[in-house]
């Protein structure tokens, strides 16, 4: 550890922790791949497709800005973990008990509804690939159980390797589709200019696309994956920053590729698809009609990889965060990144208890539909999380809790403030749009 002056403490010297700066290198890449795979779900691909189908290439710049905004949030989370040696939840706890209450309510309600959504999303492409094997609900249960068993019995190293393979599948599929539809590169370059579509609510649509590029709570989980990789001190700072940039460059390729598909395949033919995961099933039908069944099946494999990486990524990352919350609540003292790096969190009962919570209670929702009031609360909490993350990171990284050398500079503060304002606007819109009259 370092103290607030940035000098090594006696504890760090005595423990022999090597904080010598490592050179950024491709061989270290890992947590970034995990956060990119987890953050880009089927919903993100559909949102980008719909943006492409509605506005062509006009909002390409907004997708890129979304990646830059998320880079700043994930970098800030990783920098907190490495510069202080403390976990993000430990930082939140230092801001007051209100952060604990927010996280607990969020983790319980969000996890319950997200579990059902993730299982259903992973099941859709499997049912389309194997239509006569079993019903959608049973495919969803199978995906949830496979995710549970995989995360339960494997440590971070194996988890990262599997995520890397699935990201490779996602990458090949999305890039292949982008090339297959033959994008108009002249229009694409024109889409880099920050222009708003001449449509009603174009500003909100643009902000929604920026905010929807890759990740919500997984941005906070990034610091935990950094620690799980074994990066626990400032010697890994350059590596973490390189890893994070690779993550959102990868994310950018995914969303730009799908924007190309939406612009060329849907916008030019004036074809609309449904929002939500079922829009991707519609896209597979369009691809089959246009390019044949092989391309459609190839796309469905990529669709499954996209959905299943989000499932196991949340199963692992948010369970790590929940285990850290329990450890901090029980010890009521500082919890450090070394504890995450040791793998002890992944074997703890809170980690496995939250895994069970993500898997079994949501199965009820697969058969009975999602309860109305719970869905409203899920939407509100989900919309509120990123403003919460941006605001608390600004607070933590400009205070004496962070060593002076690693506090925010003007650019970091500007990017985090931009993220906070952006997500606050989207949060207010989300809350405003909820049917509160029917809630009570």
């Amino acid at each position: 550890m370092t103290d607030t002056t940035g000098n090594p403490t006696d504890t760090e010297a005595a423990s022999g922790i090597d904080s010598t700066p490592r050179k950024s290198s491709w061989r270290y890449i890992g947590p970034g791949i995990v956060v990119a795979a987890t953050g880009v779900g089927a919903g993100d691909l559909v949102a980008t497709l719909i943006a492409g189908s509605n506005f062509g290439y006009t909002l390409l710049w907004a997708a890129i800005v979304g990646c830059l905004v998320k880079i700043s949030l994930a970098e800030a989370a990783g920098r907190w973990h490495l510069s202080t040696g403390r976990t993000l939840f430990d930082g939140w706890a230092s801001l007051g008990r209100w952060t604990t209450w927010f996280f607990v309510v969020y983790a319980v309600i969000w996890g319950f509804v997200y579990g059902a959504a993730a299982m259903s999303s992973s099941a859709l492409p499997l049912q389309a690939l194997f239509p006569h094997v079993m019903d959608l609900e049973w495919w969803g249960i199978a995906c949830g159980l496979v995710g549970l068993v995989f995360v339960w019995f494997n440590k971070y190293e194996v988890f990262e390797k599997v995520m890397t393979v699935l990201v490779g599948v996602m990458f090949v599929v999305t890039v292949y589709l982008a090339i297959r539809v033959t994008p108009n590169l002249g229009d694409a370059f024109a889409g880099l200019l920050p222009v708003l579509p001449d449509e009603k609510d174009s500003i909100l649509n643009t902000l929604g696309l920026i905010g929807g590029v890759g990740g919500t709570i997984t941005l906070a989980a990034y610091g935990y994956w950094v620690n799980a990789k074994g990066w626990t001190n400032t010697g890994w700072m350059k590596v973490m920053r390189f890893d994070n940039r690779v993550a959102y460059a990868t994310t950018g390729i995914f969303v730009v590729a799908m924007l190309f598909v939406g612009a060329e395949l849907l916008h030019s033919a004036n074809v609309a698809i449904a929002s939500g995961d079922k829009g991707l099933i519609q896209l597979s039908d369009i691809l089959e009609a246009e390019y044949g069944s092989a391309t459609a099946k190839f796309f469905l494999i990529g669709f499954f990889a996209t959905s299943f990486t989000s499932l196991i990524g949340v199963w692992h990352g948010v369970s790590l965060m929940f285990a850290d919350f329990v450890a901090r609540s029980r010890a009521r003292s500082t919890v450090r990144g070394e504890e995450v790096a040791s793998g002890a969190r992944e074997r703890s009962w809170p980690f496995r208890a939250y895994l069970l919570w993500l898997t079994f209670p949501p199965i009820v929702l697969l058969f009975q539909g999602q309860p109305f009031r719970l869905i409203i609360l899920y939407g509100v909490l989900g919309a509120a999380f990123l403003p919460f993350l941006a605001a608390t990171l600004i607070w933590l990284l400009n205070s004496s809790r962070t060593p002076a050398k690693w506090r925010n500079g003007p650019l970091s503060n500007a990017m985090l403030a931009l993220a906070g304002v952006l997500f606050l606007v989207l949060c207010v819109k989300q809350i405003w749009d909820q049917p509160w009259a029917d809630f009570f």
Side-chain angles (χ1 to χ4, degrees):
M1 268 295 293
T2 55
D3 63 15
T4 55
T5 66
N7 298 315
T9 62
D10 293 338
T11 303
E12 180 175 276
S15 64
I17 294 174
D18 180 14
S19 59
T20 304
R22 274 80 169 176
K23 292 183 179 180
S24 55
S25 170
W26 287 98
R27 68 190 178 94
Y28 291 128
I29 296 302
I33 296 297
V34 172
V35 78
T38 307
V40 179
D44 298 291
L45 296 187
V46 172
T48 311
L49 272 171
I50 291 174
S53 67
N54 289 340
F55 308 118
Y57 295 102
T58 305
L59 292 181
L60 179 60
W61 66 272
I64 294 172
V65 169
C67 290
L68 295 176
V69 168
K70 299 293 179 67
I71 282 175
S72 65
L73 283 167
E75 187 275 340
R79 178 154 45 94
W80 166 264
H81 277 250
L82 296 183
S83 65
T84 66
R86 299 162 64 187
T87 64
L88 184 56
F89 192 86
D90 194 61
W92 284 340
S94 73
L95 301 178
R97 292 184 62 84
W98 65 276
T99 60
T100 300
W101 286 109
F102 177 83
F103 179 79
V104 170
V105 175
Y106 179 88
V108 171
I109 295 177
W110 181 89
F112 182 45
V113 180
Y114 181 83
M119 287 187 273
S120 178
S121 179
S122 299
L124 277 168
L126 291 176
Q127 189 188 41
L129 284 165
F130 310 103
H132 305 299
V133 175
M134 53 184 169
D135 293 337
L136 181 68
E137 293 83 3
W138 293 105
W139 275 119
I141 292 170
C143 290
L145 292 177
V146 169
L148 170 70
V149 171
F150 171 73
V151 174
W152 189 291
F153 290 105
N154 287 293
K155 293 184 179 179
Y156 174 80
E157 292 80 3
V158 177
F159 165 71
E160 182 190 288
K161 287 181 173 64
V162 171
M163 292 288 273
T164 302
V165 171
L166 292 173
V167 165
V169 174
M170 293 167 59
F171 186 89
V172 170
V173 170
T174 54
V175 171
Y176 166 77
L177 288 177
I179 295 171
R180 192 78 170 84
V181 300
T182 318
N184 185 320
L185 295 181
D187 289 348
F189 281 116
L192 295 174
L193 296 174
V195 175
L196 291 175
D198 188 18
E199 302 274 347
K200 182 183 178 182
D201 295 329
S202 62
I203 294 178
L204 290 175
N205 286 328
T206 303
L207 292 179
L209 180 61
I210 294 172
V213 177
T216 51
I217 194 171
T218 54
L219 292 165
Y222 178 65
Y224 289 87
W225 285 321
V226 163
N227 285 160
K229 180 76 170 176
W231 306 346
T232 57
N233 58 64
T234 55
W236 293 101
M237 194 70 76
K238 285 185 178 179
V239 176
M240 181 275 293
R241 284 172 166 163
F242 178 64
D243 177 78
N244 180 44
R245 288 167 191 150
V246 169
Y248 281 93
T250 305
T251 300
I253 290 171
F254 290 150
V255 297
V256 168
M258 295 310 288
L259 191 83
F260 282 6
V261 173
E264 291 296 335
L265 194 62
L266 304 178
H267 181 70
S268 59
N270 198 26
V271 175
I273 61 171
S275 60
D277 300 344
K278 291 185 178 178
L280 294 182
I281 298 295
Q282 287 180 272
L283 179 62
S284 73
D285 294 335
I286 295 168
L287 288 169
E288 183 171 7
E290 192 75 21
Y291 302 113
S293 62
T295 296
K297 291 184 186 304
F298 189 49
F299 167 71
L300 288 171
I301 292 170
F303 177 6
F304 172 74
T306 301
S307 297
F308 195 66
T309 51
S310 294
L311 186 152
I312 60 176
V314 167
W315 263 228
H316 187 275
V318 185
S319 296
L320 266 182
M321 294 181 68
F322 186 79
D324 191 56
F325 151 69
V326 173
R328 179 64 173 76
S329 300
R330 294 174 69 188
R332 297 190 179 279
S333 60
T334 300
V335 290
R336 302 194 176 277
E338 286 88 348
E339 297 171 47
V340 179
S342 71
R345 290 279 189 272
E346 295 164 278
R347 298 187 296 272
S348 67
W349 70 261
F351 179 90
R352 290 176 170 172
Y354 195 74
L355 266 179
L356 296 173
W357 174 253
L358 284 168
T359 306
F360 288 105
I363 288 174
V364 175
L365 302 185
L366 294 177
F367 289 96
Q368 295 187 353
Q370 299 180 354
F372 177 71
R373 288 182 175 84
L374 196 60
I375 295 303
I376 291 179
L377 292 176
Y378 167 78
V380 169
L381 286 170
F385 184 81
L386 284 177
F388 165 79
L389 178 63
T392 54
L393 284 172
I394 290 174
W395 191 346
L396 290 170
L397 292 168
N398 284 287
S399 72
S400 60
R401 297 172 180 84
T402 303
K405 180 179 179 180
W406 302 110
R407 291 177 197 162
N408 278 358
L411 180 60
S412 295
N413 277 325
M415 291 300 292
L416 289 177
L418 173 65
V421 171
L422 165 67
F423 294 119
L424 183 61
V425 170
L426 293 174
C427 176
V428 170
K429 180 180 184 299
Q430 178 85 348
I431 293 172
W432 183 267
D433 289 344
Q434 297 295 337
W436 293 106
D438 298 328
F439 183 87
F440 299 102

